[in-house]
Amino acid sequence: MKRAVSISIGSSKRDKAVEINLLGEKVSIQRIGTDGDMEAAALKYKELDGKVDAFGVGGGDLSIVVDGKEYILHSVKPMVRYIEKTPVVDGSGLRNTLEKKAAPFVLERLGDYVTKMGKTALIMTGSDRWGLTRSFLDAGFKCTFGDLLFALEIPIALHTPGQIKFIAALLLPVATRLPFEWIYPLGEKQEERRPKFPQYFKAATVIAGDCHYIKRYMPNDMNGKIVVTNTTTPEDVKLFRECGVKYLITTTPVLDGRSFGTNMMEAALVAVSGKGRRLTWAEYSELLEKLNFEPQLQELN
């Protein structure tokens, strides 16, 4: 049996292990959270290096790719410094492949509802979800991007890909050298609610992006909203339902009651491929076509 392990700097409360079947082969997938402790994560990678088929980096990215330009996250990279044998992925390859399907799926399954409510979307951060960004823009949604609002808490909304690329070129060379916890909630902070900028949530029919950002900053009134994200637990689903979310769409499959992060699913694909390395985007697309992966829709209210 193949084994893929995601070691996350997120909360250990979200840990999960299941066995799945991919392309006729059993794969054990496991998430291990370290509650914001990057050194503990580094040591866990060291302990398991060469003993598993693929690693995922959870709770953070090794780099951010904006329209083909890569920005290395220097504060996260030391976490994988001990890895010598096992291939390691952060979900970006799969994320950019899967999330391109998000907006067409929304329109295919919920087109009449979107037409009635308004073809508008709030993308929590457009720079690190470029596939999601292009998906909604190409589908004709009027988009607001919260890169400054939610990552840096600067009260300026972005609305075009040109603005995202300009801000990325201006700020990411600096932001990627800041301590990661300054720009992304870690450990127990992931469970904190800090509603901000409710006007942008109210104006959008679709709220899309990182689940932790959505939960942290969304208002208590999410009545009628469509949430598009990729990693949810039963507790997350319960919160969305209590806040009035109408539809929940996850871009990764729901397995044993929850959806895993793209880094976990990407690691599973690397493991089952048997190539012992990261895959190309073309290889991910080929595998996804064989697996018939598509977003999952749940009606909550």
Side-chain angles (χ1 to χ4, degrees):
M1 182 189 300
K2 301 292 187 181
R3 186 183 178 197
V5 175
S6 168
I7 298 172
S8 174
I9 49 179
S11 171
S12 58
K13 294 178 182 178
R14 301 172 72 88
D15 285 359
K16 185 81 172 180
V18 299
E19 290 182 8
I20 61 174
N21 190 296
L22 291 178
L23 302 175
E25 185 164 4
K26 284 187 177 180
V27 185
S28 167
I29 64 174
Q30 180 182 12
R31 178 198 185 276
I32 301 172
T34 65
D35 299 307
D37 190 334
M38 285 193 176
E39 189 58 23
L43 293 175
K44 182 59 71 172
Y45 282 123
K46 184 177 183 180
E47 174 191 337
L48 295 176
D49 188 32
K51 299 176 183 177
V52 301
D53 297 285
F55 283 131
V57 175
D61 293 327
L62 296 175
S63 65
I64 295 173
V65 179
V66 182
D67 196 26
K69 183 173 177 56
E70 184 176 32
Y71 300 88
I72 302 296
L73 276 162
H74 298 280
S75 58
V76 177
K77 198 169 182 181
M79 193 168 71
V80 299
R81 67 188 184 276
Y82 295 124
I83 299 175
E84 296 179 350
K85 299 175 182 178
T86 300
V88 58
V89 294
D90 63 3
S92 57
L94 186 57
R95 186 161 59 234
N96 280 288
T97 306
L98 277 176
E99 292 186 349
K100 287 179 182 177
K101 301 179 179 182
F105 181 85
V106 169
L107 294 178
E108 177 187 344
R109 301 292 293 274
L110 303 172
D112 291 342
Y113 185 77
V114 169
T115 299
K116 181 178 72 172
M117 299 295 290
K119 201 173 180 181
T120 54
L122 170 62
I123 315 296
M124 299 301 289
T125 52
S127 57
D128 69 333
R129 316 296 283 237
W130 194 250
L132 198 65
T133 293
R134 287 295 354 159
S135 178
F136 280 95
L137 286 171
D138 293 345
F141 279 76
K142 182 179 179 181
C143 295
T144 297
F145 302 99
D147 298 64
L148 295 178
L149 298 171
F150 305 116
L152 299 177
E153 299 193 16
I154 297 172
I156 299 174
L158 307 178
H159 298 282
T160 69
Q163 290 174 337
I164 294 174
K165 288 188 282 188
F166 174 78
I167 291 297
L170 183 68
L171 297 182
L172 282 181
V174 176
T176 53
R177 294 182 180 276
L178 296 174
F180 190 62
E181 62 268 23
W182 288 15
I183 56 176
Y184 191 81
L186 299 180
E188 293 183 357
K189 289 184 178 180
Q190 292 181 344
E191 309 304 321
E192 293 177 0
R193 296 287 314 285
R194 293 176 55 195
K196 283 185 179 292
F197 307 112
Q199 66 271 31
Y200 297 110
F201 289 89
K202 184 178 181 180
T205 298
V206 177
I207 313 299
D210 182 89
C211 188
H212 293 308
Y213 269 161
I214 296 174
K215 289 193 308 172
R216 186 175 177 83
Y217 296 115
M218 72 181 186
N220 292 327
D221 181 6
M222 290 279 283
N223 187 49
K225 302 302 180 185
I226 300 169
V227 168
V228 178
T229 189
N230 68 283
T231 310
T232 58
T233 65
E235 291 75 22
D236 298 334
V237 177
K238 181 175 182 288
L239 176 62
F240 287 139
R241 181 178 286 112
E242 289 173 348
C243 289
V245 171
K246 177 71 172 174
Y247 296 105
L248 172 63
I249 294 171
T250 53
T251 55
T252 50
V254 175
L255 304 170
D256 196 20
R258 66 164 290 178
S259 62
F260 286 83
T262 46
N263 79 90
M264 181 76 267
M265 299 310 299
E266 185 174 347
L269 292 179
V270 169
V272 81
S273 75
K275 296 181 182 294
R277 59 166 174 79
R278 298 176 65 177
L279 306 181
T280 66
W281 285 17
E283 288 171 327
Y284 286 123
S285 295
E286 182 180 346
L287 285 175
L288 291 174
E289 187 173 340
K290 291 179 180 178
L291 291 164
N292 198 28
F293 270 11
E294 66 172 13
Q296 308 286 305
L297 171 65
Q298 300 178 67
E299 184 172 357
L300 302 186
N301 285 294

